[in-house]
Amino acid sequence: MANPNSPEHLFAEHDEQVKVFIDQHRQMLIGCLDGLTEEEARRQLVPSRTTLLGLVKHGTFVEQVWFREAPTGNSRETLGIAPNPDESFKLDVEDTISSVIAEYREEIAHTHQVLEGTTGETVFPGNKRGPLPLRWIQLHMLRELAQHCGHADILREQVLAARNTSS
């Protein structure tokens, strides 16, 4: 896992530090599924569609919005992206821990390709907000991932606690 506290990152360029922090949070989000059963990953503990598996699936959506839609200006419909965040949490019957993680990792790899040769000053043209500098997108990604990692921590704690009470 990327570790922003490693000595080589402490004085790295800002653009590199941001990427490492974001990658760390991506891996933390994936890690919320470690050791869970398919049923536990899908367990709905809140009134919304938010589940542990849904959070990772939503992570794929977030990557697609910011690193497929924003850099190209293509519509979500054209790109095959969920139309809104709520829909991105919707789990299909064929979604499994393995398949959702694999799709998320593919999107992360695509993001890394899109970001090759960019800096925080690079402007992406195609978002509903209009043109945005990559630095804003990266900070938004970090905010989004941190929020969802917090959600995942709480849901995972509830899932694991339920194991102990049913034993």
Side-chain angles (χ1 to χ4, degrees):
M1 176 188 308
N3 182 358
N5 295 324
S6 295
E8 70 268 20
H9 299 300
L10 294 177
F11 294 96
E13 292 293 321
H14 182 263
D15 287 333
E16 183 59 31
Q17 287 177 334
V18 169
K19 291 175 185 177
V20 172
F21 272 89
I22 291 171
D23 278 341
Q24 179 189 42
H25 281 75
R26 287 173 174 136
Q27 294 308 309
M28 289 166 46
L29 188 59
I30 290 169
C32 80
L33 298 173
D34 287 351
L36 299 183
T37 66
E38 295 293 334
E39 184 277 326
E40 288 171 331
R42 289 174 164 272
R43 190 172 296 159
Q44 192 171 347
L45 300 166
V46 293
S48 69
R49 289 183 174 158
T50 306
T51 63
L52 289 166
L53 192 60
L55 282 166
V56 178
K57 188 169 183 175
H58 175 71
T60 299
F61 165 80
V62 171
E63 297 288 333
Q64 291 171 333
V65 166
W66 293 111
F67 301 106
R68 287 192 187 271
E69 178 186 5
T72 66
N74 292 325
S75 71
R76 290 180 187 180
E77 183 178 18
T78 300
L79 294 168
I81 301 172
N84 59 60
D86 186 55
E87 288 296 312
S88 73
F89 285 88
K90 189 175 180 181
L91 296 173
D92 298 322
V93 173
E94 64 274 4
D95 287 333
T96 64
I97 292 170
S98 183
S99 71
V100 169
I101 289 173
E103 186 176 353
Y104 187 38
R105 284 190 171 136
E106 286 175 23
E107 281 306 316
I108 292 168
H110 175 265
T111 295
H112 288 159
Q113 289 176 338
V114 167
L115 294 181
E116 284 181 23
T118 63
T119 70
E121 300 307 309
T122 302
V123 175
F124 284 179
N127 179 267
K128 64 184 178 184
R129 293 172 180 88
L132 290 168
L134 179 57
R135 72 177 178 276
W136 185 93
I137 294 169
Q138 289 171 317
L139 290 172
H140 176 77
M141 284 290 297
L142 189 55
R143 173 178 61 187
E144 177 107 6
L145 286 165
Q147 177 183 15
H148 292 317
C149 284
H151 295 150
D153 284 345
I154 292 167
L155 292 176
R156 183 175 170 86
E157 185 176 330
Q158 290 178 308
V159 166
L160 295 178
R163 280 182 182 174
N164 294 333
T165 60
S166 63
S167 308

